[in-house]
Amino acid sequence: MYKITKLGVLTSGGDAPGMNPCIRAVVRTGIYNGLQVVGIRKGYQGLIENDMYDMGPRSVSNILNLGGTILKTARCLEFRTDEGMEIAYQNLKAQGIDALVVIGGDGTFTGALRFSKKYPDIHVMGVPGTIDNDLYGSTYTLGFDTATNTVVEAIDKIRDTADAHDRLFFIEVMGRDSGAIALRAGVCCGAEAILLPEKATAIDELIENLKAGQHNKKSSSIVIVAEGDKNGGVYDIARRVQKEVKVYDIKVTILGHLQRGGSPSAFDRVLGSRLGYAAVKALIKGHTREMVGLQANYIKITSLEEALTEHEFKLEEDLMEMADILSI
Ligand code: ATP
């Protein structure tokens, strides 16, 4: 069996709370099992720029509670090219690194799969780290729970002021291709409507629902709009509704990057620790070109090929249906 000796760890793509607990678990599990561990800065950029450093158990002290990623992250165009990958490979060989844990989203996994096919002597395990919760192979991704809690806290505050003034708020949350945060936050905050990239919502229907809410004596309304909704953006939707719904004063809030930051929730700390630990154990057992994920509260390993190509992530239909009914 292929025996690994030196492990590299990197975070790539958008940062997500929970990446630090995961890095900590990778470093300490690796060292516990006799491996040398190297931190690679700024994702694949650090592989190309040879920006790496040796890590020990104390390199990851007191980071469980930190948002962001101590290794930093980047979107690296050069790694998409064959030349960039070759430089990365040569740097890894020069350092004696024979295994990698890559923490990121589907772009990160796409890069890892290509790299691993070109250079099979570097074993690679993926850890799903993205606030979007849109990866096949894991019911939850790192950062999704924290980001959702952040959104819920913000919307609760907006509901207070909306209620005091009889206002209708349109709130844009992150999710260019994924309505996962919007849907959960909508259920948690009793949103009157949730607009998602995965489901077309006719503006006429939205207007009718909001009018019905007024008729039913609702004193405020909240509409959550995921970034990727296809109706033309939150300001445009608000303008169209304003023309038809006269009673409410209409406001727009874009929550933006605050959704990425903050201390990881207890859930994300446990998930990051479990996934980091499992990724290293899997590499030691000889696994490669796969990802670790959480399914029915157990750690499951899925091939990157399958995670990226065979299945599309689907939002829970029952949550969508329930959210509509519970907000009448
Ligand atoms: P998030 O879901 O938070 O956006 P992500 O991992 O999907 O995270 P991306 O920016 O799409 O974020 O991808 C991260 C990095 O992975 C890219 O910057 C690039 O370096 C690498 N990558 C993405 N696609 C490819 C590809 N086809 N070939 C090689 N590398 C890739």
Side-chain angles (χ1 to χ4, degrees):
M1 193 180 69
Y2 186 86
K3 194 171 176 320
I4 61 169
T5 56
K6 196 166 179 180
L7 174 67
V9 54
L10 60 83
T11 48
S12 160
D15 61 306
M19 284 180 161
N20 282 327
C22 186
I23 294 165
R24 172 177 176 272
V26 169
V27 171
R28 292 188 174 171
T29 309
I31 287 167
Y32 178 83
N33 285 284
L35 305 177
Q36 287 175 271
V37 183
V38 173
I40 298 154
R41 294 192 186 89
K42 296 189 181 166
Y44 295 129
Q45 193 77 41
L47 285 185
I48 291 172
E49 292 173 356
N50 212 1
D51 190 358
M52 314 179 191
Y53 65 105
D54 291 337
M55 297 183 89
R58 298 285 74 72
S59 319
V60 289
S61 295
N62 301 326
I63 67 166
L64 271 169
N65 57 326
L66 300 181
T69 157
I70 61 160
L71 292 176
K72 306 215 176 254
T73 182
R75 302 198 193 266
C76 173
L77 286 179
E78 210 181 338
F79 194 72
R80 292 170 183 263
T81 65
D82 288 340
E83 296 74 21
M85 283 206 180
E86 178 62 24
I87 296 170
Y89 177 68
Q90 293 305 338
N91 284 335
L92 284 170
K93 291 306 273 185
Q95 294 268 358
I97 295 172
D98 43 24
L100 276 179
V101 174
V102 298
I103 308 166
D106 56 351
T108 301
F109 287 3
T110 305
L113 178 61
R114 269 188 62 200
F115 185 77
S116 162
K117 281 184 171 170
K118 273 168 85 71
Y119 307 106
D121 53 325
I122 310 284
H123 279 202
V124 180
M125 283 301 290
V127 174
T130 166
I131 63 168
D132 289 340
N133 205 38
D134 59 353
L135 286 175
Y136 177 81
S138 194
T139 314
Y140 295 106
T141 58
L142 280 184
F144 169 63
D145 183 68
T146 307
T148 305
N149 277 302
T150 303
V151 169
V152 168
E153 204 183 317
I155 296 180
D156 283 349
K157 289 177 179 156
I158 291 171
R159 176 71 85 175
D160 290 345
T161 172
D163 212 38
H165 286 275
D166 290 355
R167 279 179 174 152
L168 162 57
F169 268 87
F170 287 85
I171 302 170
E172 186 194 273
V173 303
M174 280 187 168
R176 257 182 235 117
D177 304 303
S178 162
I181 292 178
L183 179 56
R184 295 275 161 151
V187 171
C188 291
C189 300
E192 276 60 33
I194 309 166
L195 276 56
L196 311 165
E198 293 88 347
K199 184 179 165 229
T201 307
I203 296 296
D204 297 351
E205 201 183 306
L206 172 66
I207 289 168
E208 285 319 306
N209 285 346
L210 292 169
K211 283 182 176 168
Q214 280 185 330
H215 185 74
N216 289 335
K217 310 258 181 305
K218 279 188 182 251
S219 58
S220 64
S221 279
I222 299 274
V223 177
I224 299 182
V225 184
E227 269 175 313
D229 174 71
K230 308 288 187 297
N231 282 299
V234 68
Y235 281 107
D236 199 40
I237 298 167
R239 257 192 301 274
R240 285 153 70 191
V241 171
Q242 178 104 67
K243 285 188 194 140
E244 305 289 332
V245 181
K246 301 288 183 203
V247 182
Y248 287 125
D249 183 19
I250 294 185
K251 299 284 178 200
V252 173
T253 299
I254 295 178
L255 294 184
H257 281 81
L258 68 83
Q259 295 164 85
R260 283 201 181 278
S263 184
S265 64
F267 182 89
D268 277 327
R269 294 184 201 193
V270 175
L271 184 63
S273 302
R274 284 181 85 179
L275 293 178
Y277 176 78
V280 176
K281 300 271 280 186
L283 282 166
I284 291 169
K285 281 189 190 147
H287 285 270
T288 183
R289 218 175 287 166
E290 288 164 308
M291 61 166 274
V292 287
L294 191 73
Q295 294 176 27
N297 208 21
Y298 286 94
I299 299 294
K300 289 276 154 58
I301 294 177
T302 305
S303 76
L304 289 178
E305 194 95 51
E306 189 188 2
L308 288 167
T309 57
E310 285 190 20
H311 300 268
E312 214 172 84
F313 178 82
K314 297 255 183 325
L315 276 187
E316 304 95 328
E317 288 286 338
D318 62 319
L319 276 192
M320 294 192 217
E321 196 184 304
M322 184 188 76
D324 280 346
I325 292 170
L326 299 191
S327 66
I328 54 170

